[in-house]
Amino acid sequence: MTSLSKYFAASLCAVSLSLTAMNAEDNFKYTVDNFADIEVLRYKVPGFEDLSLNQKRLVYYLTEAALQGRDILWDQYGKYNLEIRGLLEDAYTSYKGDRNTPEFKAFEKYLKQVWFGNGIHHHYSTDKFTPEFTQEYFETLIPAEKRPANFSTICEVIFNPDVMPKRVNQADGADLVATSACNFYDGLTQKEVEEFYAQRKDTTDLTPISHGLNTRLVKKDGKIEEQVYKVGGLYSPAIEKIVANLEKAVAYAENDAQKNIIEALIKYYRTGDLHDFDTYSILWTDDTASQVDFINGFIESYGDPLGMTGSWESIVNFKNQEASNRTELLSSNAQWFEDRSPVDPRFRKPVVKGVSAKVITAAILAGDSYPSTPIGINLPNADWIRAAHGSKSVTIENITQAYDAASHGNGFNEEFVIDEPTRKLLDDYLFITDNLHTDLHECLGHGSGRLLPGVDPDAMKAHGSTLEETRADLFALYYLADPKLIELGLLDNPEAYKAEYYKYILNGLMTQLVRIEPGKDVEEAHMRNRQLIAAWALEHGKKDNVIEMVEINGKHFIKINDYEKLRGLFGELLAEIQRIKSEGDYQAGASLVETYAVKVDPAIHKEVLDRYSKLTIAPYRGFVNPVYTPVFDENGEISDVTISYTEDYPTQMLRYSRDYSPLTK
């Protein structure tokens, strides 16, 4: 399965943005913690107090269902993660010595990194964290009576850089399964996995299930076995807790459609049958009336090197009615955009079905969406459901607002943006154009285009996620400059799109490199996508001098000389990417990725790292969740749910391990 839906912030969320987004009149503290390359923020949940009592009850039980899945993701990300987390947390909470020594500070930093990565690998690069303390010091923190039988193995996993070095390996020529430390496969090679699922696919089935989405594949005694994630199967203790809270949520469903959705999800968790998941997905897609909404399950496959198995995640949210006017306007014009797409008419959808879009307020982030989270979502992922029933797209605006507010005045513009007029352009228009780019990417980009009959949705193999995100980004970039957005009243200045174009090229060619260690390639799908677009446009625009990388006082800057021609280049590349996907042309897709998306210019990379080191900007950001507390009446019924924003990062992580660890209790 090729993962389609997550849309992460394209920049490092470092650009100073419009003050209208800041809510600067209050004293809300966005920054919670800083360590390594991470800044932890908190986000507001505006409008929660205005929900009805039953909506608050619904949100509460859905958030409880979300939090109960935490252990699943930790185990999916590595088979030793839960044991290691337990050892680290026990050492941290029971330590009686001086917590200000360099050794303990290094230990604390490592624990915070592990929390953020949902395991011992970085959430973005997927490289294993390197402890800045010794194994000998670690052993002093773990008394002999608390050491598990495999303690020596755990020490090897933590301290030996050659053991499980990469959670998701995407290196060209490698056996992606055998060399990835994630826990989706055990004892198999990439060839064995691909052959196993190839034998199960029916290419004539017009409603194919997403094979491997909710299973772990293991090899025992020479035989390959699928371990299904379900009640009574793999991860049953956690799934039972999820189901119990979903059953409580059913009583407070806003309408019969939402009640049917929750019950369909419960059925799927009980059977593990992917046909039941498709039923749930269709019901979920068709529900556009409910204000409260959620995702919960094994959905995105970025964590699987082959893009097959879904990582567990959940987001609970409710509709931002006012802001949703923007996305609803776009989705209601979906056919107009599709009909005028610069791709071959053979690859367009003659009838765009069921594209619904809204702006949401996130109430809780969980699993693969926590602490790092997307800013936009488009689901379901199954191509046949999207073709027959459409898709549902959301932009998570309270998350983008938190990013923006925390970024104000951090010096990024002055260091990386070429001149004052361009900085003013970004200050004036980047907030709205960035959100519109997300809207277009999710609402229209992922829902655009079609496969030719008989083309395998997984034809792009390991490059599928990169190429799909490239396709959706290009669709959004191309139409961001279209006069239609002025006509619809979504922008008030025909020059506004230039803010997003400049930021996108700057990020794709330069600033996102701060997330990569020296000497390494680009591996994460979204980063590859952005570099592919920017590097391709730079090369193919040379004849007309569309984009330059200029040097000023020893520093390199992006200079865009012709924004109109740049839009034309985006359209040209979109047409080719859509052709590749529609025809299943793996070789052409792989060639684009390998030519433009992977390799890094070491000199530019070093320069970017040096310039960033002078700023106090973390390359990565994530969040702590608000705390929801039910208030019970004399009959034991929830009479209110309160929300607070005071919990710090270690406190939240330790509470989650104490209260939401069904796989370790």
Side-chain angles (χ1 to χ4, degrees), residues 368-655:
D368 201 23
S369 293
Y370 170 86
S372 177
T373 185
I375 59 173
I377 298 169
N378 179 272
L379 288 171
N381 282 332
D383 280 301
W384 74 267
I385 297 179
R386 299 165 74 85
H389 299 272
S391 61
K392 194 153 66 175
S393 301
V394 300
T395 300
I396 313 177
E397 196 152 294
N398 64 324
I399 294 299
T400 62
Q401 188 275 331
Y403 279 138
D404 298 340
S407 298
H408 184 58
N410 59 19
F412 176 90
N413 283 6
E414 291 74 15
E415 180 60 43
F416 286 103
V417 179
I418 190 167
D419 53 32
E420 182 55 35
T422 308
R423 288 192 284 272
K424 186 177 188 308
L425 179 73
L426 269 59
D427 281 340
D428 290 344
Y429 289 106
L430 187 56
F431 181 73
I432 181 58
T433 56
D434 225 9
N435 277 319
L436 274 172
H437 183 265
T438 303
D439 297 338
L440 287 162
H441 175 110
E442 298 294 352
C443 302
L444 305 180
H446 280 310
S448 67
R450 61 174 177 170
L451 302 182
L452 294 182
V455 172
D456 184 352
D458 295 325
M460 295 300 106
K461 300 179 182 179
H463 296 309
S465 295
T466 294
L467 291 169
E468 174 56 28
E469 295 301 329
T470 301
R471 189 180 72 91
D473 258 2
L474 286 165
F475 193 99
L477 289 165
Y478 180 78
Y479 277 117
L480 193 61
D482 199 285
K484 185 70 172 180
L485 298 192
I486 303 292
E487 177 189 324
L488 294 174
L490 296 172
L491 290 174
D492 61 6
N493 184 338
E495 305 292 304
Y497 76 93
K498 295 179 179 179
E500 180 68 15
Y501 274 30
Y502 187 87
K503 186 267 311 201
Y504 197 96
I505 297 297
L506 171 63
N507 190 48
L509 292 177
M510 293 185 63
T511 53
Q512 73 169 2
L513 296 178
V514 74
R515 296 179 166 187
I516 300 175
E517 294 182 13
K520 293 196 173 182
D521 293 338
V522 181
E523 294 191 12
E524 198 277 334
H526 296 83
M527 291 182 68
R528 283 187 169 188
N529 142 43
R530 294 190 287 268
Q531 180 169 298
L532 193 163
I533 292 172
W536 188 96
L538 177 66
E539 179 175 307
H540 286 76
K542 283 181 179 177
K543 182 180 70 173
D544 296 322
N545 197 28
V546 177
I547 305 169
E548 292 180 87
M549 187 177 287
V550 299
E551 186 173 350
I552 302 174
N553 298 325
K555 297 179 180 180
H556 286 87
F557 293 88
I558 298 301
K559 183 181 181 185
I560 300 178
N561 298 309
D562 195 322
Y563 283 90
E564 187 175 343
K565 287 184 178 178
L566 180 55
R567 187 198 183 202
L569 290 172
F570 289 152
E572 183 182 338
L573 182 55
L574 172 59
E576 173 60 4
I577 296 288
Q578 184 63 64
R579 181 201 67 78
I580 287 169
K581 179 162 185 179
S582 294
E583 295 181 346
D585 188 350
Y586 172 78
Q587 292 303 325
S591 178
L592 274 177
V593 173
E594 291 159 9
T595 302
Y596 296 102
V598 177
K599 296 301 177 183
V600 175
D601 181 327
I604 293 296
H605 190 189
K606 182 180 184 305
E607 179 187 326
V608 168
L609 293 174
D610 289 345
R611 291 165 70 179
Y612 254 102
S613 68
K614 300 171 185 174
L615 304 174
T616 56
I617 301 174
Y620 304 98
R621 284 169 160 179
F623 294 91
V624 294
N625 284 315
V627 178
Y628 296 92
T629 304
V631 179
F632 294 94
D633 61 21
E634 62 275 9
N635 298 317
E637 295 291 325
I638 294 179
S639 59
D640 195 11
V641 179
T642 64
I643 185 171
S644 65
Y645 303 101
T646 57
E647 195 165 44
D648 65 25
Y649 178 62
T651 302
Q652 181 157 109
M653 290 298 181
L654 291 169
R655 179 172 67 87

Side-chain angles (χ1 to χ4, degrees), residues 50-250:
D50 300 327
L51 297 177
S52 70
L53 175 57
N54 275 352
Q55 286 175 322
K56 288 181 179 179
R57 289 165 168 166
L58 176 62
V59 168
Y60 174 73
Y61 284 119
L62 290 174
T63 60
E64 288 294 291
L67 295 174
Q68 290 292 355
R70 180 179 185 236
D71 278 0
I72 297 175
L73 181 75
W74 278 73
D75 192 71
Q76 287 182 311
Y77 272 9
K79 63 182 180 180
Y80 298 104
N81 280 338
L82 290 174
E83 282 187 277
I84 290 172
R85 187 185 76 192
L87 284 172
L88 295 176
E89 290 178 345
D90 187 55
Y92 182 73
T93 56
S94 62
Y95 185 69
K96 304 300 183 185
D98 184 354
R99 290 176 175 257
N100 292 312
T101 65
E103 293 85 358
F104 190 84
K105 286 294 185 184
F107 170 76
E108 182 179 43
K109 173 184 172 181
Y110 179 74
L111 174 57
K112 289 182 176 182
Q113 289 176 296
V114 170
W115 278 333
F116 199 91
N118 294 297
I120 62 172
H121 297 87
H122 195 281
H123 75 286
Y124 207 87
S125 72
T126 76
D127 292 329
K128 190 168 73 171
F129 296 121
T130 301
E132 296 172 4
F133 55 92
T134 65
Q135 180 174 335
E136 290 71 25
Y137 179 75
F138 179 62
E139 290 173 353
T140 68
L141 301 177
I142 313 294
E145 65 273 13
K146 291 187 176 182
R147 296 179 185 180
N150 64 342
F151 184 68
S152 61
T153 299
I154 286 176
C155 287
E156 272 287 290
V157 170
I158 293 174
F159 292 99
N160 188 335
D162 297 324
V163 174
M164 304 176 73
K166 192 84 174 174
R167 176 167 58 82
V168 183
N169 186 16
Q170 292 290 322
D172 294 336
D175 184 319
L176 304 185
V177 169
T179 59
S180 293
C182 57
N183 197 22
F184 298 113
Y185 310 102
D186 186 16
L188 291 100
T189 65
Q190 178 179 346
K191 183 173 183 291
E192 287 174 320
V193 174
E194 291 175 340
E195 288 178 349
F196 179 86
Y197 285 118
Q199 291 171 3
R200 279 155 178 73
K201 287 185 179 179
D202 180 358
T203 57
T204 66
D205 188 355
L206 299 180
T207 61
I209 62 171
S210 301
H211 287 285
L213 183 66
N214 66 334
T215 55
R216 179 173 182 259
L217 214 59
V218 300
K219 192 173 184 180
K220 292 183 177 180
D221 301 323
K223 294 182 179 180
I224 299 176
E225 171 188 330
E226 277 189 302
Q227 298 176 334
V228 182
Y229 308 152
K230 66 173 184 174
V231 172
L234 192 58
Y235 302 136
S236 183
I239 295 174
E240 289 170 30
K241 295 275 191 180
I242 295 168
V243 167
N245 282 285
L246 291 175
E247 288 174 334
K248 293 177 182 177
V250 168

Side-chain angles (χ1 to χ4, degrees), residues 249-261:
V250 168
Y252 305 109
E254 297 179 69
N255 48 55
D256 287 342
Q258 190 175 65
K259 178 175 180 289
N260 292 338
I261 290 166

